[in-house]
């Protein structure tokens, strides 16, 4: 198949540091190519993903993150180069609604964000003429009348991640500097558990900077080691040497990619049982999930978990190969004409194959 992939305009594919969606697009592009398909990627021009890319795209516009005009202009350029695709997999919001996308070419879109009242209106409209992929069952549960074709959990190249020893004598937190990610709660959990906490966070946007400087920075003491934003190599080393990865998430996150990264390093996850976390973490085997008040107690129990079991869970359930194969299965059905582009509610699936 000739597969067109459309990423957003704001972050290169793959990202240098932060960028969960872009990591997924990079894995898909490489995986589709390895499976023998022809891939054409619409992404910022400074992307380094080793597949053919659509010419004429602009460099990543991180300063305008989530700007509507930026995305619309990017989409127009992207679809000009995808006229000969057999199937298009779009990871933007605007693209599937673009009036001039190629006729009779099946379109698939992945919902990377939460389903809210506003976004549900958009994805209902997209589902009239395309297939919609959800990234967790929890994501679909918030607006169950949005027609979802498949639920496909994210995956990653687990083999590229070194397994750590877990002997660093600390806990770690990796995420964005915002209340939803639970950085404040992670600091309190680590203190209650009597364990040092190493913190790696993205804070580029004004709201992230404000939250960090006004809320987090005044709290930092000798128990916390702030290391800032890190690249993949430093992140995996940080995770791999930690006794446990703290994920006291404060919102229904559709999919926590950082959790499967921790599992890939062999490190168990201790976090709140919200959003996609119960679909990723096997309580008592690859980590512990519960209320904030329970997490400090779970930290000590996490030390007794098998790091090999954490790694195996990442390999078996969240591999790049599994994610790629599930997408290809769907693409082949669509190109063959089944299911049809307008997916009826009866085809909605809330579980993986």
């Amino acid at each position: 198949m000739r597969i067109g992939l459309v990423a957003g305009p704001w972050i290169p594919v793959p990202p240098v540091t932060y960028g969960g969606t872009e990591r997924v697009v990079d894995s898909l592009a490489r995986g589709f190519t390895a499976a023998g398909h022809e891939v054409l990627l619409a992404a910022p021009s400074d992307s380094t993903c080793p597949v053919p890319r659509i010419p004429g795209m602009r460099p990543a516009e991180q300063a305008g993150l989530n700007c509507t005009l930026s995305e619309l202009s990017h989409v127009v350029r992207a679809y000009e180069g995808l006229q000969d695709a057999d199937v298009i997999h779009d990871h933007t919001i605007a693209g599937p609604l673009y009036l001039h996308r190629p006729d009779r070419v099946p379109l698939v879109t992945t919902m990377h964000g939460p389903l809210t009242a506003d976004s549900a209106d958009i994805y209902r409209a997209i589902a009239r003429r395309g297939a919609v992929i959800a990234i967790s069952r929890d994501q679909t549960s918030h607006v169950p009348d949005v027609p979802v074709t498949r639920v496909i959990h994210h995956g990653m190249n687990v083999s590229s991640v070194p397994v750590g020893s877990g002997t660093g004598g600390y806990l770690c937190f990796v995420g964005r500097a915002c209340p939803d990610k639970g950085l404040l709660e992670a600091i309190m959990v680590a203190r209650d558990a009597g364990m040092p906490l190493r913190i790696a966070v993205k804070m580029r946007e004004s709201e992230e900077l404000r939250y960090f400087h006004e809320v987090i920075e005044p709290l930092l003491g000798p128990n916390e080691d702030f290391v800032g934003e890190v690249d993949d190599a430093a992140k995996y080393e940080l995770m791999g040497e930690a006794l446990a990865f703290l994920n006291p998430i404060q919102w229904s996150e559709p999919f926590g990619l950082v959790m499967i990264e921790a599992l890939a390093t062999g490190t168990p996850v201790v976090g709140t049982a919200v959003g996609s976390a119960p679909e990723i973490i096997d309580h008592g085997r690859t980590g512990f999930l519960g209320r904030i008040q329970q997490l400090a107690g779970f930290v000590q129990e996490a030390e007794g978990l098998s790091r090999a079991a954490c790694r195996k869970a990442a390999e078996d359930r969240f591999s790049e190969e599994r994610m790629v194969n599930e997408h290809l299965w769907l693409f082949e059905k669509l190109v063959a004409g089944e299911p049809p582009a307008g997916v009826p509610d009866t085809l909605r699936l809330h579980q993986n194959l």
Side-chain angles (χ1 to χ4, degrees), residues 257-278:
L257 192 62
V258 70
M259 287 187 278
I260 68 174
E261 292 179 318
L263 294 181
T265 70
T267 298
V269 175
V270 174
T272 43
V274 296
S276 62

Side-chain angles (χ1 to χ4, degrees), residues 225-301:
D225 178 15
F226 179 74
V227 299
E229 192 169 358
V230 294
D231 62 17
D232 284 353
K235 175 176 61 177
Y236 295 144
E237 182 179 1
L238 177 70
M239 289 177 166
E241 299 308 308
L243 183 149
F245 176 79
L246 292 185
N247 191 56
I249 202 78
Q250 296 297 294
W251 71 298
S252 291
E253 188 169 39
F255 192 93
L257 192 62
V258 70
M259 287 187 278
I260 68 174
E261 292 179 318
L263 294 181
T265 70
T267 298
V269 175
V270 174
T272 43
V274 296
S276 62
E279 297 174 49
I280 299 172
I281 303 306
D282 184 1
H283 182 82
R285 181 172 173 79
T286 61
F288 293 96
L289 301 175
R291 301 184 302 276
I292 286 290
Q293 298 85 345
Q294 298 175 290
L295 301 191
F298 287 152
V299 165
Q300 301 305 320
E301 294 186 62

Side-chain angles (χ1 to χ4, degrees), residues 4-301:
L5 275 176
V6 185
W10 304 295
I11 298 174
V13 177
V16 178
T17 52
Y18 173 80
T21 297
E22 291 71 24
R23 290 181 190 281
V24 170
V25 173
D26 182 64
S27 287
L28 290 172
R30 293 169 189 260
F32 296 156
T33 300
H37 300 280
E38 182 182 341
V39 175
L40 187 58
L41 174 64
S45 61
D46 49 345
S47 297
T48 57
C49 182
V51 301
R53 297 197 298 275
I54 291 177
M57 307 303 291
R58 292 187 299 269
E61 303 176 86
Q62 297 189 34
L65 190 65
N66 294 326
C67 172
T68 301
L69 284 178
S70 175
E71 183 176 51
L72 290 172
S73 173
H74 176 85
V75 160
V76 170
R77 291 169 180 246
Y79 277 86
E80 284 299 311
L82 292 174
Q83 299 299 314
D84 295 326
D86 294 319
V87 61
I88 296 173
H89 187 193
D90 197 322
H91 295 263
T92 70
I93 294 177
L97 297 173
Y98 181 50
L99 178 64
H100 301 294
R101 62 182 172 91
D103 291 334
R104 295 181 295 278
V105 175
L107 180 119
V108 181
T109 189
T110 295
M111 301 187 297
H112 288 278
L115 268 180
T116 63
D118 289 340
S119 65
D121 288 339
I122 295 170
Y123 285 110
R124 287 191 199 98
I126 290 172
R128 294 174 192 154
R129 294 185 57 217
V132 177
I133 294 174
I135 57 178
S136 68
R137 291 183 291 278
D138 180 80
Q139 183 188 38
T140 69
S141 70
H142 295 276
V143 189
D145 68 330
V146 171
V148 171
T149 315
R150 301 287 296 169
V151 174
I152 302 179
H153 285 150
H154 286 332
M156 62 177 293
N157 184 358
V158 179
S159 64
S160 69
V161 179
V163 179
S165 67
T167 59
Y170 61 85
L171 305 173
C172 77
F173 175 92
V174 178
R176 289 191 295 112
C178 67
D180 289 344
K181 292 291 186 179
L183 174 54
L184 175 62
E185 288 75 14
I187 291 171
M188 299 309 169
V189 168
R191 289 180 181 178
D192 288 346
M195 292 285 295
L197 177 67
R198 301 197 69 190
I199 300 168
V201 295
K202 166 192 172 282
M203 51 175 192
R204 305 177 204 160
E205 298 172 56
S206 58
E207 291 182 3
E208 295 168 344
L209 290 165
R210 186 180 309 111
Y211 177 72
F212 180 80
H213 291 308
E214 293 181 2
V215 178
I216 299 300
E217 194 170 34
L219 291 176
L220 297 180
N223 195 63
E224 293 80 42
D225 178 15
F226 179 74
V227 299
E229 192 169 358
V230 294
D231 62 17
D232 284 353
K235 175 176 61 177
Y236 295 144
E237 182 179 1
L238 177 70
M239 289 177 166
E241 299 308 308
L243 183 149
F245 176 79
L246 292 185
N247 191 56
I249 202 78
Q250 296 297 294
W251 71 298
S252 291
E253 188 169 39
F255 192 93
L257 192 62
V258 70
M259 287 187 278
I260 68 174
E261 292 179 318
L263 294 181
T265 70
T267 298
V269 175
V270 174
T272 43
V274 296
S276 62
E279 297 174 49
I280 299 172
I281 303 306
D282 184 1
H283 182 82
R285 181 172 173 79
T286 61
F288 293 96
L289 301 175
R291 301 184 302 276
I292 286 290
Q293 298 85 345
Q294 298 175 290
L295 301 191
F298 287 152
V299 165
Q300 301 305 320
E301 294 186 62

